[in-house]
Amino acid sequence: MWAMRRVLLLNASYEALGIISMPRAVRLVWKKSAEVVELDGSAILRSPTFSLPAPSVVRLKDYIDVRARQRRSASKRQAVLMRDKFRCQYCGVKGTSFELTLDHIIPRSRGGTTEPENLCASCFTCNQRKGDRTPDEARMPLISHPSALYYGLEKAALRGAAETRPEWRKYLFLPELEINVA
Ligand SMILES: [Zn+2]
């Protein structure tokens, strides 16, 4: 299923921002917000109105300063809650700052950071239910994707994904595969 295929999104600076869905990548290219820098083999996406070589890596034409967006916040907790409109990002329930907690989207035990891009508002029930799992593992997708959050959240997953997508590796600055020379 092409809709399920993932695409690596690069900043204008070629810095990897995250993994996005094929439909989203196609929309970015269609709007001329991004350009294709690597193709997904020789696959062609076809719809009744267009055909397009399937992208594997796309690059934004305008630079997004993810860090500057994060710096603007005075209090991280308050800023994250405000960004998420005081709404649990898993079930959508609204709450006050006493009724909501911050969830690490990628759990800390799995390499997730405490940066705002890896935090979201969560009710206590969802926070408990998700536990030590990623949203994918818990089958608890985020309901909205503020851009800094969206672009950052899957960084921790890039490494794993790159193992099956060799054409991504050069953009992730990954060390060469370790070869044990005994
Ligand atoms: Zn919830």
Side-chain angles (χ1 to χ4, degrees):
M1 270 299 288
W2 279 111
M4 304 298 289
R5 196 81 175 150
R6 298 307 194 96
V7 175
L8 179 65
L9 176 69
L10 304 179
N11 212 338
S13 58
Y14 287 92
E15 177 193 3
L17 289 173
I19 300 169
I20 59 176
S21 68
M22 182 68 77
R24 186 175 164 90
V26 169
R27 275 198 299 278
L28 287 172
V29 173
W30 195 252
K31 288 191 304 182
K32 304 198 190 307
S33 301
E35 62 177 9
V36 178
V37 293
E38 298 281 343
L39 293 175
D40 197 348
S42 55
I44 305 284
L45 299 173
R46 290 181 204 285
S47 87
T49 49
F50 74 93
S51 69
L52 180 79
S56 176
V57 181
V58 298
R59 171 178 168 254
L60 291 174
K61 292 192 175 167
D62 294 320
Y63 180 75
I64 288 187
D65 192 345
V66 182
R67 282 170 203 88
R69 283 184 195 198
Q70 292 164 3
R71 274 197 300 273
R72 255 178 250 145
S73 58
S75 147
K76 182 157 71 177
R77 177 182 154 76
Q78 201 64 15
V80 170
L81 292 177
M82 284 173 63
R83 180 198 65 193
D84 294 346
K85 301 188 171 65
F86 290 89
R87 194 178 275 276
C88 170
Q89 292 301 294
Y90 299 108
C91 71
V93 72
K94 281 201 144 200
T96 66
S97 61
F98 300 105
E99 294 160 329
L100 294 169
T101 183
L102 294 190
D103 183 63
H104 288 88
I105 298 165
I106 304 294
R108 300 205 59 188
S109 61
R110 311 285 292 279
T113 70
T114 56
E115 295 299 309
E117 64 188 19
N118 189 46
L119 295 172
C120 72
S122 170
C123 70
F124 290 99
T125 308
C126 288
N127 184 249
Q128 287 286 314
R129 187 155 83 89
K130 179 165 167 285
D132 207 17
R133 297 177 294 178
T134 66
D136 271 1
E137 289 167 354
R139 295 180 190 273
M140 294 171 68
L142 293 158
I143 59 171
S144 67
H145 294 295
S147 50
L149 170 71
Y150 187 80
Y151 291 132
L153 80 93
E154 292 197 77
K155 265 191 177 170
L158 285 173
R159 233 164 223 280
E163 284 172 18
T164 57
R165 307 293 289 271
E167 73 273 26
W168 291 9
R169 294 184 65 87
K170 61 176 175 281
Y171 302 102
L172 300 176
F173 305 103
L174 295 176
E176 289 303 306
L177 284 171
E178 284 172 37
I179 297 166
N180 291 318
V181 182

